[in-house]
Amino acid sequence: MKKIISLVMSSVLAISLLAGCGSSSDSSNSTNSAPSTSASSSTAAVSSEANGDAVKTGLAVISSIANSKDAGKEDGLGQVDSTVVAVTVDKDGKIVKCAIDAAQTKINFSAAGKLTTDLKKEFKSKQELKTAYGMNKISKLGKDWNEEADAFAKYVEGKTVAEVKGIAVNAEGVPSDKELSATVTIHIADFTAAIEKAVNSAKDLGAKAGDKLGLGVTTNISKSTDAADKDGVAQAYSNYSATTFGADGKVTSCVIDASQSDVKFSKAGKITSDLKAPLKSKIELGADYGLGKVSKIKKEWFEQTEALAKYVAGKTADEIKGIAVNAEGVPSQAELTSSVTIHIGDYQAVIAKAAANAK
Amino acid sequence: MKTLKKLTVIILILAFSINLTACADKKKTRYEAEFLVLFDTVTKIVAYTDTKEEFTKYSQLIYDNLKEYHELYDIYHDYPGKNNIKTINDNAGKKPVKVDKKIIDLLLFSKEWYKKTDSKMNIAFGSVLKIWHDYRTAGLDNEENAKIPPMDILKKASQHTNINKLKIDEKNSTVYLEDPEMNLDVGAVGKGYATEQVSKIAEKNGFKSGLVSVGGNIRSIGNKGVDNQLWNLGIQNPDTESKNSTLKLIYVADKSVVSSGDYERYYTVNGKRYHHIIDPNTLFPSEYFSAVTIVTHDSGMADVLSTAIFNMPFEQGNKLIESLPDTEALWVTKDGKIKYSKNFDKYLNK
């Protein structure tokens, strides 16, 4: 009797286990339309068949403090001019998409070496200022800086760096090429140099030829200090992001960089920085440690920005700002990992801006 | 024989119904939600649910409640029409500040744990932590000039860390810092405490099984909700150069898992690393361990304990853990050895 029952039991269990559930793959994500945000997500190497339309994503910044002035009767000025360019580049080295922006940060200090600009002030990029920048009053064409920069960005699309650099430039540094003179009257030397730098730094991060490209810039001066025993510092701290979006609105690649440009001044309000010294972005400084090896000390910045770039891959602009919900398959090893909190810092703002500007 | 037939039928029905329940579980999908904007870190929510809608409903609920805590516990930003911990700090030595009960509750909880951890977790330690924070960010921004804070500045700041000068008036819901030089910093407790409260709210609203991770502080609610499986969670290897990023896998239900370590946030001066967890005795980064992990039910308690035992010798920390019910810890020494509290091994097996 017991034997029979146990036989029946075991055969029933065996049959039902075999037939009852069917394939266990039901539990995996047949509804999975969203890519996984793990390391093997959409930023992974592009498959060979799609390689034809893979493009590289590049970001470059060129900064100068040459326009800074000592304090005298009027307040002194620490002025940082940063030209920022984002590009996507195809396999032939042709620029597919280009976005140009600039941050002009003016920080005043008195003849007593005290800062007179509000350190909480938020600075807008020239693209954000649009008509507020006021160049259209003086431009012969009545166009704003952002319109002219956009026109130049449009003009270089489809060209290689050599072709861009091959534009005839008159003595003023303004293009004399017919097609362009109707739209660009500002000096393009910085644009060209930044475009070349962006193309040269471009990497294959998962973007495709048809992707939209957005450029974001944020600037604050909160780390500036008055002169005392040590020189004062007027510092423009800017974050930059070049982000590409696929047809489905999801991030396909993301590069983040930052620059801290200092203008030092004495207690007498005299500038002590070399106004001609070259200024470098954080990525460029990191690369100085040879073989792309980042110094230990810079590790935190790189970890933050890389973690963020990885985080945004495969997400839409709304998901970056709000909640991203994904159907996931079986987790790789652990459902989640307990670790020391990584702080995100201010970088999400610059990605949100890049997303808003993407075209 | 009839009895046998009946029995067989009953067994059959039973067996199938058990299996049907198991199969229903199998059809659940694993969803993951992520968001960035709160507590300056990445928050993740994981759950196995029947529909995306169900999952999204709970994610939104958790997000909305966490946002409230994030704004109240912020020490860096102001929010229009809200008094938060920054408001309390801004009014140190000036006047009591009327605050939300969520702040009062956190401060009372923190005061209680200040005593229980032999002052190794002190939310009134802000003036010292601020100096380290400023030197660290300056050192990261300009490495040639990276410096460690001079001891006399640290000692001066440590004169202003007396938690008894934090006056909480529950009746009037006000908080006053008697010492104008003191500063609250809830970095060692705020995230965990908020995670715990928000998880409880989600549970009350029917969220029976899920994970909430606020920047690597994990709170598990129930079990996986699939075949009664436990949650399998990783513990980060403090040796970030190692091929194995996961040090250990643990299996838990209804537990919080919080880690503290020297491996994520640090700067280097003259080749020596200075991490972000400061020992109240030495006023310098504590040097006992590379990392510690706490497993206990309450997320706020786990957060507090992970900082506290990171700041204690093993014997003292172990004694504290043993005195607490249903609480276990794992220590990773500076030379990479792992030590466990008495019953930690129960989490190492499925």
Side-chain angles (χ1 to χ4, degrees):
Chain A
M1 169 82 171
K2 271 191 187 168
K3 264 191 191 170
I4 292 171
I5 290 177
S6 64
L7 263 173
V8 170
M9 277 279 295
S10 55
S11 61
V12 162
L13 279 174
I15 291 164
S16 58
L17 276 174
L18 281 170
C21 289
S23 139
S24 62
S25 65
D26 288 357
S27 62
S28 76
N29 43 354
S30 51
T31 54
N32 186 0
S33 55
S36 143
T37 48
S38 70
S40 61
S41 70
S42 55
T43 50
V46 183
S47 70
S48 56
E49 73 227 39
N51 228 352
D53 60 354
V55 291
K56 292 176 175 176
T57 311
L59 171 69
V61 187
I62 292 180
S63 299
S64 154
I65 55 169
N67 291 323
S68 304
K69 291 180 182 66
D70 292 338
K73 280 182 187 162
E74 287 183 356
D75 276 354
L77 169 70
Q79 179 170 329
V80 182
D81 288 290
S82 297
T83 305
V84 199
V85 167
V87 290
T88 51
V89 189
D90 73 8
K91 63 180 191 311
D92 303 323
K94 282 197 163 64
I95 294 162
V96 179
K97 285 269 167 70
C98 176
I100 301 174
D101 201 348
Q104 186 175 73
T105 313
K106 294 180 175 182
I107 308 163
N108 293 107
F109 50 87
S110 68
K114 298 278 182 241
L115 292 158
T116 54
T117 304
D118 179 6
L119 295 191
K120 286 195 176 135
K121 183 177 171 182
E122 272 203 29
F123 287 81
K124 287 183 170 168
S125 76
K126 287 187 186 176
Q127 286 282 6
E128 289 173 311
L129 287 165
K130 291 201 166 83
T131 51
Y133 183 62
M135 204 183 75
N136 61 354
K137 292 193 195 90
I138 47 172
S139 162
K140 291 177 206 158
L141 295 165
K143 280 189 185 293
D144 284 298
W145 185 96
N146 64 302
E147 288 173 299
E148 303 214 356
D150 290 349
F152 191 73
K154 200 92 210 124
Y155 174 82
V156 302
E157 285 173 6
K159 294 182 171 63
T160 62
V161 167
E163 288 167 338
V164 173
K165 285 172 77 180
I167 300 169
V169 174
N170 65 20
E172 265 195 317
V174 173
S176 56
D177 185 307
K178 278 278 184 297
E179 182 191 339
L180 203 60
S181 56
T183 51
V184 178
T185 57
I186 42 185
H187 297 228
I188 61 162
D190 280 348
F191 287 177
T192 312
I195 287 169
E196 180 176 17
K197 208 166 156 182
V199 170
N200 290 343
S201 73
K203 287 191 179 68
D204 200 339
L205 300 170
K208 295 276 194 335
D211 290 354
K212 286 181 176 176
L213 171 67
L215 174 60
V217 182
T218 61
T219 303
N220 74 72
I221 60 165
S222 61
K223 287 180 188 277
S224 304
T225 52
D226 292 337
D229 299 342
K230 284 194 293 190
D231 282 351
V233 180
Q235 183 185 85
Y237 194 148
S238 296
N239 290 314
Y240 316 97
S241 168
T243 309
T244 57
F245 294 83
D248 55 1
K250 288 178 177 156
V251 170
T252 52
S253 71
C254 174
V255 187
I256 299 166
D257 202 352
S259 64
Q260 288 171 280
S261 311
D262 292 349
V263 179
K264 291 186 177 159
F265 52 89
S266 69
K267 270 199 288 200
K270 298 281 179 241
I271 289 172
T272 56
S273 295
D274 173 2
L275 296 188
K276 291 195 178 70
L279 300 167
K280 290 190 170 174
S281 76
K282 290 208 177 190
I283 287 182
E284 289 174 301
L285 286 167
D288 280 354
Y289 293 93
L291 303 172
K293 229 180 120 169
V294 175
S295 88
K296 281 278 183 232
I297 203 156
K298 288 263 186 282
K299 202 167 156 218
E300 182 171 288
W301 183 85
F302 278 90
E303 276 178 347
Q304 277 190 9
T305 52
E306 280 169 8
L308 196 65
K310 203 163 87 177
Y311 170 86
V312 298
K315 290 189 171 68
T316 64
D318 284 348
E319 287 175 334
I320 293 165
K321 279 185 290 188
I323 306 178
V325 175
N326 282 327
E328 302 275 346
V330 181
S332 50
Q333 186 188 20
E335 290 278 359
L336 289 177
T337 297
S338 164
S339 67
V340 175
T341 301
I342 288 189
H343 287 240
I344 296 299
D346 303 326
Y347 309 110
Q348 69 211 46
V350 80
I351 290 182
K353 278 192 185 182
N357 298 335
K359 53 189 175 196
Chain B
M1 201 62 202
K2 268 188 182 175
T3 349
L4 180 63
K5 267 191 185 169
K6 263 190 190 170
L7 257 174
T8 315
V9 170
I10 289 168
I11 289 164
L12 261 167
I13 289 167
L14 268 174
F16 273 113
S17 62
I18 288 166
N19 260 302
L20 280 172
T21 338
C23 292
D25 275 352
K26 278 267 188 280
K27 287 209 165 44
K28 286 186 174 180
T29 306
R30 179 184 191 270
Y31 290 99
E32 203 174 276
E34 281 189 298
F35 45 87
L36 263 191
V37 285
L38 307 180
F39 290 100
D40 186 19
T41 190
V42 180
T43 298
K44 283 188 185 186
I45 301 162
V46 171
Y48 289 78
T49 55
D50 295 324
T51 63
K52 191 173 178 176
E53 289 68 32
E54 183 192 351
F55 178 80
T56 305
K57 182 184 82 177
Y58 288 120
S59 301
Q60 191 67 50
L61 178 77
I62 289 165
Y63 176 93
D64 293 344
N65 282 286
L66 264 183
K67 185 165 182 278
E68 179 72 13
Y69 280 96
H70 157 80
E71 291 179 0
L72 291 171
Y73 295 173
D74 198 329
I75 61 169
Y76 296 108
H77 304 97
D78 298 309
Y79 299 91
K82 259 199 184 111
N83 285 343
N84 63 6
I85 301 210
K86 181 177 184 288
T87 323
I88 297 170
N89 285 338
D90 290 346
N91 287 285
K94 293 176 192 164
K95 61 173 194 286
V97 178
K98 199 166 180 66
V99 292
D100 190 291
K101 188 173 180 299
K102 292 183 176 81
I103 292 180
I104 302 272
D105 290 347
L106 170 75
L107 300 183
L108 290 170
F109 177 87
S110 305
K111 263 192 151 178
E112 178 195 345
W113 279 97
Y114 171 83
K115 291 191 200 95
K116 286 182 180 171
T117 59
D118 188 27
S119 74
K120 292 289 190 279
M121 194 293 297
N122 178 9
I123 56 164
F125 204 52
S127 52
V128 174
L129 294 176
K130 188 178 181 307
I131 292 167
W132 276 103
H133 178 268
D134 292 350
Y135 271 76
R136 188 167 64 88
T137 43
L140 288 164
D141 287 340
N142 183 347
E143 66 182 280
E144 290 87 22
N145 296 319
K147 291 184 182 69
I148 49 172
M151 189 44 111
D152 57 328
I153 295 182
L154 292 169
K155 278 204 167 128
K156 212 170 131 195
S158 72
Q159 308 291 307
H160 305 285
T161 58
N162 183 349
I163 201 165
N164 296 320
K165 295 198 171 174
L166 157 64
K167 298 296 176 190
I168 304 169
D169 180 344
E170 283 184 79
K171 198 163 141 275
N172 294 308
S173 198
T174 62
V175 178
Y176 177 53
L177 303 180
E178 281 183 340
D179 178 349
E181 299 291 314
M182 79 188 277
N183 248 308
L184 297 180
D185 182 326
V186 296
V189 56
K191 267 196 303 290
Y193 186 84
T195 305
E196 183 62 27
Q197 305 317 308
V198 168
S199 299
K200 281 181 182 160
I201 292 167
E203 279 183 280
K204 274 197 192 112
N205 281 276
F207 195 46
K208 293 282 178 282
S209 62
L211 296 175
V212 182
S213 162
V214 182
N217 286 15
I218 307 173
R219 164 68 145 86
S220 61
I221 297 167
N223 61 22
K224 247 186 210 189
V226 179
D227 301 347
N228 274 326
Q229 286 177 43
L230 296 170
W231 292 106
N232 57 318
L233 303 178
I235 293 174
Q236 171 90 38
N237 188 344
D239 177 5
T240 46
E241 308 290 311
S242 164
K243 276 187 204 146
N244 304 321
S245 59
T246 306
L247 187 73
K248 288 283 168 195
L249 279 174
I250 58 170
Y251 301 88
V252 297
D254 261 320
K255 291 279 180 288
S256 295
V257 186
V258 176
S259 300
S260 286
D262 64 6
Y263 54 89
E264 292 285 17
R265 310 189 61 207
Y266 59 84
Y267 75 121
T268 313
V269 184
N270 300 328
K272 187 171 162 47
R273 260 192 205 192
Y274 293 87
H275 64 78
H276 71 293
I277 304 170
I278 307 302
D279 182 336
N281 289 356
T282 64
L283 307 180
F284 262 62
S286 61
E287 299 205 352
Y288 298 109
F289 308 102
S290 285
V292 301
T293 295
I294 303 286
V295 184
T296 191
H297 173 75
D298 184 292
S299 194
M301 193 171 138
D303 203 1
V304 166
L305 286 170
S306 74
T307 302
I309 70 164
F310 194 82
N311 279 331
M312 292 176 186
F314 174 75
E315 295 69 23
Q316 190 187 354
N318 196 32
K319 204 170 146 192
L320 173 63
I321 296 298
E322 288 211 355
S323 74
L324 300 164
D326 206 18
T327 302
E328 300 298 335
L330 172 157
W331 293 259
V332 185
T333 60
K334 288 278 183 193
D335 57 0
K337 290 193 176 67
I338 303 178
K339 292 180 172 182
Y340 299 102
S341 60
K342 198 168 144 198
N343 297 314
F344 192 95
D345 58 350
K346 67 181 171 189
Y347 299 126
L348 296 170
N349 307 306
K350 280 188 192 182

